[in-house]
Amino acid sequence: MIDSAPKATIAVLERNRVVGQRIARVMSAAAGMQDVPVASDPAELRARLSDRPLLLGCDAADLDLALEWAAERYPSMHLLVWTSGNTDAVLEAALREPRLSSVVGWPSFASMPRPWEIALAVRRILKPLALPPRLSDLLSWGATIVKWRPRTSEDRDRTVAEVAHWAERAGAPARVAERLAALAHELLMNAMYDAPVDAGGRPRYTHDRRSDIVLEESEIPTLRLGADGAHIALQAHDPFGTLQRRHVFEGITRGLSARGADSARTPVLDTSRGGAGLGMLKIYAAGAVLVVDVSPAASTTVTSFWDLDVNPREFRSLPASIHYFERSTPAMETPERAAW
């Protein structure tokens, strides 16, 4: 008897069937209620997949198999990988495989990976040309958003101080507020000094990050702080879009390799490029979730999320998530220089 049932383009490979079904429900809702089969047996799942699947979600325990499928069987398939353990191996795989765009850190105290992360990844992977969600869309309804547009070095310093103030107002302990201020400084240094390029793609300010600058109106970045009572998010946007995928994952994996897995949450000095010195690893390690959204030659948005219910000591032991999304066409080209 020939099976005439339609084949799935989205699927979940998960050994814990209850967890798999929870994740599949979120993925289905984010994909317009598509059928999302769940299986722990790869052969069973393959029988239910179409010839050109779009997305496979799986635990890091099945990473090698997922990479094999992506490389040898399904050239159209993107990967969404979650883990409650160390993320180093998945980050190394993401550096090699551009279709692995979402590495989801699963907090040990949660019954499943964060649903909003799963939904975000599915939407952005299936609709790569869609506009990214606003910061308010990624927080609970009723969240407050504070915005700054620093033009000068003095504006930057004032903004960083105000970030610490508003973080404490949002319920962050003083130590967490200080870390958010340090992150704000790093994000703004990258957005104000490293991102701006001239019409020929040449950097305008990165030659001397200690100098005071006054940006042109078209160069001014936007920094937002959002809080909904459970989370704080810090988001930097610049109007250049020069941050490339390989710069993100190379920076993180290089730092992890140099410092070792046990100190992944320690700022790492990176002087290999003319960047901020603390690099992508510090930005990645600063929060629970990092989302990078790039429109090449148009804009870069970097968003870091902090969970207010997790104390700083526990936070250091939890795996951090990273998502990299790019709105582009194959014909687009971007400068080789890393802007972050």
Side-chain angles (χ1 to χ4, degrees):
M1 180 177 179
I2 299 176
D3 184 4
S4 60
K7 300 292 187 176
T9 58
I10 306 173
V12 173
L13 180 61
E14 169 58 55
R15 301 179 189 188
N16 185 320
R17 195 165 188 85
V18 173
V19 171
Q21 289 172 341
R22 290 172 177 167
I23 294 172
R25 289 199 301 266
V26 176
M27 293 176 70
S28 174
M33 299 302 182
Q34 289 189 39
D35 178 42
V36 180
V38 182
S40 58
D41 178 19
E44 176 187 344
L45 194 64
R46 277 188 56 201
R48 301 181 65 181
L49 282 175
S50 74
D51 293 335
R52 293 185 59 81
L54 301 176
L55 177 60
L56 174 69
C58 70
D59 190 278
D62 294 305
L63 176 61
D64 290 341
L65 176 64
L67 291 171
E68 177 188 332
W69 283 10
E72 300 178 8
R73 296 181 182 275
Y74 305 117
S76 60
M77 188 171 71
H78 289 255
L79 301 177
L80 162 63
V81 178
W82 51 84
T83 179
S84 57
N86 190 284
T87 59
D88 291 14
V90 191
L91 292 167
E92 289 281 355
L95 175 60
R96 301 189 305 269
E97 175 51 71
R99 284 174 291 161
L100 203 178
S101 56
S102 291
V103 178
V104 178
W106 178 357
S108 56
F109 53 79
S111 61
M112 65 174 287
R114 300 176 186 88
W116 71 266
E117 278 193 78
I118 300 293
L120 173 68
V122 171
R123 282 287 183 94
R124 299 296 287 122
I125 291 170
L126 297 186
K127 297 185 177 182
L129 299 182
L131 290 172
R134 298 170 301 177
L135 182 58
S136 58
D137 295 328
L138 300 177
L139 296 167
S140 298
W141 187 89
T144 291
I145 309 292
V146 185
K147 182 175 75 172
W148 299 268
R149 297 190 75 239
R151 185 170 192 170
T152 68
S153 304
E154 184 180 347
D155 292 342
R156 176 204 62 207
D157 295 341
R158 183 165 50 250
T159 297
V160 168
E162 291 182 8
V163 164
H165 166 75
W166 283 105
E168 288 199 65
R169 289 286 299 272
R175 183 177 300 178
V176 173
E178 291 175 4
R179 292 189 64 174
L180 286 166
L183 175 60
H185 185 272
E186 180 70 10
L187 292 173
L188 287 177
M189 287 295 292
N190 291 335
M192 297 176 72
Y193 284 81
D194 296 340
V197 293
D198 62 20
R202 295 178 294 270
R204 283 173 51 81
Y205 307 109
T206 192
H207 59 279
D208 185 1
R209 295 173 110 244
R210 294 181 177 86
S211 64
D212 291 336
I213 58 173
V214 179
L215 299 177
E216 303 290 341
E217 182 66 28
S218 61
E219 297 173 334
I220 300 175
T222 300
L223 185 76
R224 291 180 174 88
L225 182 147
D228 61 10
H231 309 92
I232 291 179
L234 200 59
Q235 181 182 83
H237 170 271
D238 74 63
F240 293 96
T242 54
L243 182 63
Q244 297 181 32
R245 186 184 193 281
R246 67 180 179 85
H247 297 142
V248 173
F249 288 101
E250 277 182 3
I252 294 171
T253 55
R254 182 179 58 249
L256 290 173
S257 177
R259 301 286 295 194
D262 290 341
S263 56
R265 291 303 178 98
T266 302
V268 62
L269 183 64
D270 173 15
T271 58
S272 63
R273 294 189 177 94
L278 298 177
M280 285 305 307
L281 179 59
K282 180 181 179 182
I283 295 172
Y284 165 65
V289 181
L290 179 67
V291 181
V292 181
D293 215 309
V294 179
S295 295
S299 70
T300 297
T301 303
V302 178
T303 311
S304 179
F305 295 84
W306 182 281
D307 189 336
L308 286 171
D309 292 325
V310 177
N311 67 59
R313 182 175 299 178
E314 184 180 10
F315 165 77
R316 287 192 293 270
S317 67
L318 297 177
S321 300
I322 182 169
H323 305 263
Y324 181 93
F325 307 118
E326 185 173 299
R327 299 178 65 237
S328 64
T329 63
M332 281 187 172
E333 296 183 356
T334 56
E336 284 297 306
R337 184 183 62 84
W340 287 74

